C-alpha cells in the first residue's frame, strides 16, 4: 500500500508468484487501469481504494472474493 505502483502486469505476476493469496492491499497507488486476467482462486479481500483507478476488469474467476474496495477512485469502467 502507498507505494505508487503503476505496472499493469501486476495481476498476472501475483497469480504466478502467489497463487494462494487471500488478502491483497493495493490502496493508495497510481494504477489507472487494472485487468485481473488470471484467477486468484483463494483471494478473499482486494483493497484498491484511494487511488487513480479509472478502469477495472475481471476477465478471470475469483470464486472466494468476499470484499472489493474501490472507493475514492475515478472509476469509469468496471467489467
Amino acid at each position: 500500500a502507498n507505494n505508487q505502483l503503476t505496472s499493469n502486469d501486476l495481476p498476472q505476476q501475483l497469480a504466478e508468484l502467489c497463487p494462494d493469496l487471500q488478502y491483497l492491499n493495493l490502496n493508495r497507488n497510481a494504477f489507472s487501469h487494472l485487468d485481473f486476467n488470471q484467477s486468484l482462486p483463494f483471494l478473499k479481500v482486494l483493497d484498491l481504494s484511494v487511488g487513480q483507478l479509472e478502469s477495472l476488469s475481471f476477465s478471470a474467476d475469483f470464486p472466494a472474493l468476499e470484499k472489493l474496495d474501490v472507493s475514492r477512485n475515478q472509476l469509469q469502467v468496471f467489467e
Side-chain angles (χ1 to χ4, degrees):
N2 201 23
N3 54 21
Q4 300 303 308
L5 291 171
T6 58
S7 173
N8 287 330
D9 295 331
L10 186 63
Q12 181 175 348
Q13 293 169 350
L14 287 171
E16 292 170 3
L17 297 173
C18 309
D20 298 331
L21 191 65
Q22 293 184 19
Y23 179 86
L24 181 56
N25 182 348
L26 293 173
N27 71 351
R28 299 182 187 270
N29 276 289
F31 297 113
S32 61
H33 171 77
L34 283 175
D35 181 7
F36 285 88
N37 55 8
Q38 289 199 335
S39 182
L40 290 165
F42 302 103
L43 188 66
K44 293 181 180 183
V45 177
L46 177 56
D47 185 350
L48 299 168
S49 63
V50 191
Q52 300 170 16
L53 198 58
E54 296 175 2
S55 174
L56 179 61
S57 300
F58 288 92
S59 50
D61 235 2
F62 289 80
L65 192 63
E66 297 171 357
K67 181 179 179 184
L68 171 63
D69 188 350
V70 293
S71 63
R72 298 180 62 194
N73 274 285
Q74 299 146 22
L75 201 59
Q76 297 172 11
V77 176
F78 181 77
E79 302 176 307

